Amino acid sequence: MKKSKIPCDLNTCFMCKTCLKEWLPALSEHRTNYHVKKGEVIFREGDPVKGVYFVYEGNVKVHKKWGNEKELIIRFAKKGAIFGHRGLGNNLHYPISATALEPCIVCFIDMDLFNATLKVNSDFAYTLMMFFADELQEAERKMRNLAHMPVKGRVAQALISLREKFGLTENGFIDIELTRQDLASYTGATYETVFRIITDLVQDSMIKLSGKSIKIVDGIRLESLTHQIITPVENTEG
Amino acid sequence: MKKSKIPCDLNTCFMCKTCLKEWLPALSEHRTNYHVKKGEVIFREGDPVKGVYFVYEGNVKVHKKWGNEKELIIRFAKKGAIFGHRGLGNNLHYPISATALEPCIVCFIDMDLFNATLKVNSDFAYTLMMFFADELQEAERKMRNLAHMPVKGRVAQALISLREKFGLTENGFIDIELTRQDLASYTGATYETVFRIITDLVQDSMIKLSGKSIKIVDGIRLESLTHQIITPVENTEG
DNA sequence: GTATTTATATTATACATATCATATAAATAT
DNA sequence: ATATTTATATGATATGTATAATATAAATAC
């Protein structure tokens, strides 16, 4: 992770966008921009909290370990998104890791400046609260899915969410390149299981592959995999 | 759900506690207190959002359906806690249900008043943001556990969390009465599996039962069930 | 440019957990 | 007080998903 000489434009992350213009010089002075290589870890679960990060360029995965063989990808942070925001409150250590999925530029804001920014910019504080509330709701849905939805549905859901978040390339493929292992970690399943399911989905022509890239060709049927088959309530009359 | 005649004391929920004293009359005037019977649904997933609730007396479970046979209990709200807070933002419908676990008194604040309260009381807004951030972190841990931790560990974790949240009765039992089904729904497993695991834990004398109540007698060993056995990294030297 | 690591692909097998079935006890309703 | 529903209890069976094992291809390092 090298310091970048070209600094960010102060108009990309949602902090810069929501802050008072008068506050931007303060941010400008104290931020640090870093180049991060593909696969490079930006911070690791358990590291002492120093501040928060924003994505200026590229995509970052936020993940949480289980033992030293498994992990769950909690979320992806794309251009403009915040990550490592658990310095807020009294957390001494990051509860999650962050890793670059591709060459990235990130912006680092130390905790003091971040807290000051929150105090000074009520719009930003409100936006951040909304971000947390949305993430929380999404997390609750994911919890429910991890508890009760079969893996096939979770893979389908993952593909739909990825399409929604990252959009499409000109060829109609989901505009993010994930390894199968990352897709598995995002789904909360093993590589092998996800692999099989992907094969199934291709066979049933709901998706199409091109290398690592995935195109959704039948979104309706894919989406239907994310719904529970409602078992009809029994008729209690004789 | 009947309106209560005895109103709350304006000093129990974390909203009243964090707000400016000058604001309390506004809350006092617009809140509505309700008596809720044990097992009564306060609002149901999909209901239109009208406002937020606070627990004045009793315990409430917040849960999310899967099909019409299964659910996941997302969290428990005890005295003073907020629930139904997803009116924030543009949510038109509650993404979760809330049900009284015992006879409760709850306080209802309509959305307009809640938004006004947020605007006027920056301390409260900050506290709420912290609540969301904490819940988010906890949700992320739970997601990881649901994805990778075996049910036995999740049951152990659930008991530990419940003890932490609800404390102990004078006899040392966890101070909340849950049905086995609720415990299963909180754990993200079936009744039968949880039942079997509880039996195991009793046999291994990590816990003790008295009716529905549970006492943790060997917290150390119980906690150890929540850790992954770290598979040692292979020695790469020949 | 070759070596080495990492990702992909695939089959066979094991196992944790859900499903099904059924009995009893406790709680709630009438 | 009796009926009915709901919760507890427990064994037998089914199945989804992980684990293990192994081969090949692609990417990265030296």
Side-chain angles (χ1 to χ4, degrees), chain A residues 81-131:
Chain A
I82 191 173
F83 64 102
H85 41 72
R86 289 324 318 274
L88 262 179
N90 326 339
N91 261 37
L92 293 175
H93 304 280
Y94 291 110
I96 45 87
S97 306
T99 305
L101 286 172
E102 45 205 86
C104 288
I105 305 170
V106 300
C107 175
F108 173 79
I109 305 284
D110 72 60
M111 223 41 236
D112 288 345
L113 177 60
F114 187 66
N115 279 319
T117 305
L118 273 176
K119 282 222 181 80
V120 173
N121 298 273
S122 57
D123 273 11
F124 173 58
Y126 188 78
T127 308
L128 187 64
M129 171 149 75
M130 286 307 178
F131 168 77

Side-chain angles (χ1 to χ4, degrees), chain A residues 65 75 86 133 137 140, chain B residues 75 86 133 137 140 144:
Chain A
K65 285 193 303 179
R75 122 178 50 94
R86 289 324 318 274
Q137 185 176 334
E140 288 168 353
Chain B
R75 124 178 47 96
R86 290 323 318 274
Q137 185 176 334
E140 288 169 353
R144 197 267 322 264

Side-chain angles (χ1 to χ4, degrees), chain B residues 166-185:
Chain B
F166 295 102
L168 300 178
T169 64
E170 62 262 29
N171 302 316
F173 286 82
I174 299 170
D175 197 10
I176 187 173
E177 276 215 2
L178 288 181
T179 64
R180 290 292 128 86
Q181 181 55 62
D182 274 344
L183 186 57
S185 299

Side-chain angles (χ1 to χ4, degrees), chain A residues 86 88-89 118 125 129 132, chain B residues 13-19 54 80 82 88 114 118 121-135:
Chain A
R86 289 324 318 274
L88 262 179
L118 273 176
M129 171 149 75
F132 284 155
Chain B
C13 71
F14 85 93
M15 178 173 65
C16 288
K17 278 184 175 162
T18 340
C19 276
F54 292 86
I82 190 173
L88 262 179
F114 187 66
L118 273 176
N121 298 274
S122 58
D123 272 11
F124 173 57
Y126 187 77
T127 308
L128 187 64
M129 171 150 75
M130 286 308 179
F131 168 77
F132 284 154
D134 285 347
E135 285 289 306

Side-chain angles (χ1 to χ4, degrees), chain B residues 157-201:
Chain B
Q157 180 62 64
L159 295 176
I160 292 166
S161 303
L162 288 171
R163 178 176 63 174
E164 197 176 316
K165 186 159 200 165
F166 295 102
L168 300 178
T169 64
E170 62 262 29
N171 302 316
F173 286 82
I174 299 170
D175 197 10
I176 187 173
E177 276 215 2
L178 288 181
T179 64
R180 290 292 128 86
Q181 181 55 62
D182 274 344
L183 186 57
S185 299
Y186 186 49
T187 309
T190 57
Y191 168 83
E192 292 91 331
T193 300
V194 170
F195 171 82
R196 265 181 275 268
I197 284 168
I198 291 285
T199 307
D200 281 7
L201 295 178

Side-chain angles (χ1 to χ4, degrees), chain B residues 34-190:
Chain B
Y34 292 102
H35 280 281
V36 195
K37 281 182 283 187
K38 178 178 177 170
E40 197 178 349
V41 176
I42 301 163
F43 59 83
R44 208 176 292 274
E45 196 177 339
D47 282 355
V49 167
K50 301 228 169 84
V52 304
Y53 294 83
F54 292 86
V55 180
Y56 184 60
E57 198 59 63
N59 292 312
V60 169
K61 67 172 173 180
V62 171
H63 48 110
K64 202 166 166 67
K65 284 192 304 177
W66 175 249
N68 46 20
E69 307 265 272
K70 292 183 178 177
E71 63 168 19
L72 181 72
I73 294 178
I74 301 289
R75 124 178 47 96
F76 297 103
K78 66 173 182 176
K79 190 171 180 157
I82 190 173
F83 63 102
H85 42 70
R86 290 323 318 274
L88 262 179
N90 325 339
N91 260 38
L92 294 175
H93 305 279
Y94 292 110
I96 44 88
S97 305
T99 304
L101 287 171
E102 44 206 85
C104 289
I105 305 170
V106 300
C107 175
F108 173 78
I109 305 283
D110 72 59
M111 224 40 236
D112 289 345
L113 178 60
F114 187 66
N115 280 319
T117 305
L118 273 176
K119 282 222 181 79
V120 174
N121 298 274
S122 58
D123 272 11
F124 173 57
Y126 187 77
T127 308
L128 187 64
M129 171 150 75
M130 286 308 179
F131 168 77
F132 284 154
D134 285 347
E135 285 289 306
L136 185 55
Q137 185 176 334
E138 181 62 20
E140 288 169 353
R141 233 187 40 153
K142 276 191 193 161
M143 278 168 58
R144 197 267 322 264
N145 293 351
L146 284 165
H148 296 309
M149 192 189 272
V151 179
K152 195 165 193 171
R154 301 212 302 270
V155 171
Q157 180 62 64
L159 295 176
I160 292 166
S161 303
L162 288 171
R163 178 176 63 174
E164 197 176 316
K165 186 159 200 165
F166 295 102
L168 300 178
T169 64
E170 62 262 29
N171 302 316
F173 286 82
I174 299 170
D175 197 10
I176 187 173
E177 276 215 2
L178 288 181
T179 64
R180 290 292 128 86
Q181 181 55 62
D182 274 344
L183 186 57
S185 299
Y186 186 49
T187 309
T190 57

